[in-house]
Amino acid sequence: MKFFLDTANLDEIREAASFGIADGVTTNPTLISKEGNVDFKQHIAAICEIVKGPVSAECTSEDTEGMLREGHEYSKIAPNVVIKCPLTRAGLKATRKLSDEGIRVNVTLCFSAAQAIMAAKAGASFISPFLGRLDDIGENGLLLLQDIIEVYRNYEWKTEVLAASIRHPIHVIEAARMGADIATMPFKVIDLLFNHPLTEKGQAQFLADWRKSGRK
Ligand code: E4P
């Protein structure tokens, strides 16, 4: 399973890249706005310098024409830019056109298997089901992920399943168990994946015993 960073923060992206596990980055308008008044295209270019895998830049137009304009503009930033379009009728029309032109599209805001089928039919390179946001309203995001993976296995669609809106390590483990192609996660979730109290305790004990024996 590939790991994408779900952040627009350059320090977090650099840190995750230094672990050697950042296969890509996803951004959205909320994540970009958290970085302050940055120039969008320059910021995406800076991310693309750090991570050579797919970097999602999200359209903010609501109509197909606007999304196509943005898609053409953003795809010139760097070869690894992926255009993010919402799972709306306008977004899927833009997805079809952009993917026909060879521009990769990540279809975002997916909350049903039916929507995921539509995105694959429209030629999406990635489909982003939002696990955490479904959990937030009392549904089960992981069941949606499972449905999508099961349906996609029946066909030769090229669309990769990108588990998004990940909130904790269990989402990551279950996504891996199901065979999701990618999990995109905030830096704090990546950090949590390293942790186990017995690892820290064991390491402290080993080092204490080593020093007790007179070694440095
Ligand atoms: C990524 O592509 C999505 O925009 C992101 O995972 C959404 O996460 P959130 O539901 O935590 O905002």
Side-chain angles (χ1 to χ4, degrees):
M1 183 168 69
K2 284 171 266 185
F3 272 20
F4 285 7
L5 259 292
D6 199 18
T7 179
N9 183 277
L10 298 181
D11 291 335
E12 289 182 347
I13 294 167
R14 277 190 207 101
E15 180 71 3
S18 77
F19 298 143
I21 50 148
D23 300 306
V25 175
T26 48
T27 69
N28 64 36
T30 303
L31 294 172
I32 293 285
S33 57
K34 280 189 190 157
E35 299 310 302
N37 195 21
V38 292
D39 177 272
F40 179 66
K41 288 199 277 178
Q42 282 176 12
H43 201 77
I44 294 290
I47 296 173
C48 291
E49 274 297 305
I50 306 169
V51 173
K52 296 301 173 197
V55 172
S56 291
E58 188 155 342
C59 294
T60 50
S61 302
E62 292 184 79
D63 61 322
T64 305
E65 289 314 308
M67 288 183 216
L68 290 175
R69 203 167 43 246
E70 286 183 85
H72 293 142
E73 201 178 326
Y74 303 157
S75 59
K76 289 190 194 117
I77 298 173
N80 51 329
V81 166
V82 169
I83 306 305
K84 223 171 166 193
C85 291
L87 216 155
T88 57
R89 285 167 178 75
L92 290 191
K93 277 191 204 170
T95 300
R96 177 80 274 161
K97 292 208 165 88
L98 290 170
S99 61
D100 284 349
E101 292 170 23
I103 295 173
R104 290 181 296 171
V105 179
N106 173 2
V107 174
T108 188
L109 289 165
C110 173
F111 294 97
S112 79
Q115 289 181 319
I117 292 170
M118 294 306 278
K121 294 289 292 170
S125 292
F126 305 94
I127 181 67
S128 289
F130 276 33
L131 311 189
R133 291 196 195 187
L134 278 173
D135 294 356
D136 290 345
I137 61 158
E139 292 192 28
N140 187 337
L142 285 168
L143 286 184
L144 169 63
L145 185 64
Q146 194 159 32
D147 278 353
I148 295 172
I149 291 171
E150 199 179 317
V151 169
Y152 276 23
R153 277 203 184 119
N154 293 331
Y155 301 98
E156 306 275 302
W157 293 329
K158 300 275 184 291
T159 315
E160 292 190 75
V161 180
L162 194 172
S165 187
I166 279 183
R167 300 275 157 79
H168 45 70
I170 300 293
H171 275 153
V172 181
I173 295 164
E174 291 305 315
R177 197 191 305 283
M178 291 170 197
D181 299 293
I182 307 152
T184 188
M185 59 201 103
F187 184 80
K188 69 167 195 260
V189 173
I190 292 203
D191 208 39
L192 284 172
L193 293 174
F194 284 105
N195 294 344
H196 196 286
L198 289 180
T199 303
E200 285 161 37
K201 190 176 166 202
Q203 175 72 345
Q205 184 70 56
F206 285 152
L207 296 182
D209 290 343
W210 180 257
R211 287 186 200 110
K212 225 187 302 169
S213 68
R215 296 180 179 88
K216 290 199 177 147

